[in-house]
Amino acid sequence: MEVNLQKRLGDFNLDVAFDLPPQGITALFGRSGAGKTTLVNMMAGLLRPDGGVFRIDGQTLFDSQAGVNVKPERRRVGYVFQEGRLFPHLSVKSNLYYGRRFAPKGERYVDAAQIIELLGLNSLLARRPASLSGGEKQRVAIGRALLSEPRLLLMDEPLAALDATRKSEIMRHIERLRDEIGVPIVYVSHSLDEVARLADHMVLLADGGVVATGSAVDIMSRADLSPHTGRHEAGALIETRVDGHDSFGLTGLAFPGGVLRVSGLDLPVGTAVRARIRARDVAIATSPPQDLSILNVFHGRIAEMIPSGAAAMDLQLDVGVKLRARITARSAHELGLAPGKEIYALIKSVAIDRHSLGLAEPPKRN
């Protein structure tokens, strides 16, 4: 999928070019005003670009030079907004099936019963939107977008108006859709917690342009991108699997650098879990530490050192995976730190909370 679009709105100029992967979730991430919503509105056909090209599966949906601009209802691009935007006079079932009329019968591939089951909507079909909770409305909106048989699903901060519990609920449904339906998703967000849990790929936007593209793990682990991902929240994203549970209420998460111990998770052994470790939660030792309360100690090397502000230093670490640490410049000087030096990275188990693992509420076993 090719995205190469330009648009000027007053003093703001959007000029982006990147390729979308054919599957998985791609996060469009950036601060407010970066151009995220403007971009997805152009992809959906709701806003006409000034120039460029947009193609899905080899079909051109927009080409300024060729004069192509396919109407929104003919693009087969589903769109889930921040708020549900359901038709208040229609039942949930009628809302769900509304967009299906625009999909050519010969190109239908979505099993309506499967979508309704995946989103847990069977008990809601006869109800009207006014009687639904915020989370239920968003599930219906997602279902309606999917039943329009989209080749691409756009989600513009769909969790922005929900509380933490409802966000976690919807994210579980989005994960199931990603894994079981296979429709590529472009997910707009300025929440690193959401991106860390959901995204396979990431497009980082700033001031109307693309700063970086790549896997979410790589983008979120790059120290040079902290000004755009958020200095306070800077850190690394690592892929782990539940290794086991101990009698002290801790869960071990295995990754190439060892086992990360965190507060207990009610998840079966082998479950994949992403852990976001903030740079400010990582301390450094230059010799094997002894007699300390910190359980997570990983041996590695310093790959890179980057000044961060007037008194801090960001360290890019290699501990089997990329890790970040933020310490004072004074500590770096007194420890004699330099690229290539062997170190031990120390991480408190209690610093890895449920939000760091993309879990806003305790997960339930099936």
Side-chain angles (χ1 to χ4, degrees):
M1 301 186 198
E2 179 185 357
V3 181
N4 187 338
L5 298 171
Q6 299 84 45
K7 182 70 177 180
R8 176 172 289 279
L9 296 170
D11 294 332
F12 179 74
N13 187 49
L14 181 73
D15 189 348
V16 298
F18 57 90
D19 291 329
L20 278 175
Q23 58 187 5
I25 297 178
T26 297
L28 289 184
F29 183 84
R31 297 177 179 177
S32 295
K36 305 184 298 294
T37 297
T38 299
L39 176 56
V40 293
N41 281 342
M42 289 193 294
M43 294 169 69
L46 302 180
L47 179 66
R48 185 185 179 97
D50 295 333
V53 175
F54 177 40
R55 295 188 178 95
I56 296 180
D57 296 338
Q59 180 185 359
T60 300
L61 300 182
F62 179 82
D63 187 329
S64 56
Q65 292 196 354
V68 176
N69 186 26
V70 177
K71 293 180 179 180
E73 64 270 20
R74 301 300 177 190
R75 292 193 174 204
R76 294 184 61 193
V77 174
Y79 201 153
V80 179
F81 299 88
Q82 291 185 26
E83 64 285 347
R85 298 196 185 185
L86 303 178
F87 298 112
H89 61 292
L90 298 180
S91 67
V92 166
K93 183 176 181 179
S94 295
N95 267 282
L96 286 170
Y97 282 90
Y98 181 82
R100 203 166 179 82
R101 70 187 71 177
F102 298 112
K105 292 185 178 180
E107 298 181 26
R108 291 182 178 178
Y109 63 92
V110 174
D111 184 332
Q114 181 186 15
I115 295 297
I116 291 170
E117 176 65 29
L118 282 176
L119 292 171
L121 299 176
N122 277 304
S123 63
L124 307 179
L125 295 178
R127 291 167 60 180
R128 295 291 178 91
S131 69
L132 304 178
S133 69
E136 289 170 340
K137 289 177 181 177
Q138 283 303 83
R139 280 190 280 143
V140 175
I142 294 169
R144 181 176 64 180
L146 285 169
L147 290 184
S148 68
E149 309 284 341
R151 293 173 297 183
L152 174 67
L153 180 61
L154 306 175
M155 307 186 80
D156 186 9
E157 301 200 52
L159 311 183
L162 304 179
D163 60 29
T165 299
R166 296 292 176 264
K167 286 182 180 181
S168 183
E169 171 195 336
I170 298 298
M171 282 194 282
R172 286 200 299 273
H173 289 298
I174 294 173
E175 287 171 326
R176 291 187 67 190
L177 292 172
R178 174 196 62 196
D179 298 338
E180 299 182 35
I181 300 300
V183 178
I185 298 173
V186 171
Y187 189 94
V188 175
S189 180
H190 62 265
S191 167
L192 281 178
D193 288 334
E194 294 175 23
V195 173
R197 174 168 174 175
L198 295 173
D200 305 292
H201 308 276
M202 193 168 174
V203 177
L204 184 59
L205 298 178
D207 301 321
V210 175
V211 176
T213 64
S215 76
V217 171
D218 289 342
I219 295 295
M220 293 183 69
S221 300
R222 283 178 53 180
D224 61 311
L225 297 178
S226 291
H228 304 288
T229 55
R231 182 178 180 276
H232 184 69
E233 293 296 317
L237 184 64
I238 63 175
E239 306 274 7
T240 75
R241 289 193 177 275
V242 175
D243 185 61
H245 312 278
D246 68 20
S247 59
F248 295 95
L250 297 177
T251 294
L253 301 177
F255 70 104
V259 176
L260 179 70
R261 288 176 171 81
V262 303
S263 296
L265 302 175
D266 187 17
L267 293 172
V269 171
T271 301
V273 177
R274 281 181 169 181
R276 184 159 68 93
I277 302 175
R278 296 170 178 83
R280 55 188 166 91
D281 293 329
V282 181
I284 298 297
T286 55
S287 58
Q290 297 180 342
D291 302 324
L292 75 165
S293 64
I294 297 177
L295 297 176
N296 295 308
V297 180
F298 305 110
H299 180 241
R301 295 179 180 273
I302 297 174
E304 188 177 6
M305 298 177 62
I306 302 173
S308 179
M313 183 71 69
D314 278 2
L315 310 178
Q316 186 81 54
L317 310 176
D318 182 355
V319 296
V321 295
K322 291 181 180 179
L323 200 63
R324 297 270 299 283
R326 176 169 293 150
I327 62 176
T328 64
R330 175 173 177 171
S331 293
H333 173 74
E334 292 183 351
L335 291 173
L337 301 184
K341 186 178 181 67
E342 291 191 34
I343 51 84
Y344 294 85
L346 288 66
I347 308 166
K348 295 176 68 173
S349 294
V350 294
I352 313 300
D353 57 18
R354 293 191 180 279
H355 289 284
S356 302
L357 302 171
L359 304 170
E361 61 175 343
K364 305 292 191 299
R365 293 190 193 218
N366 293 326

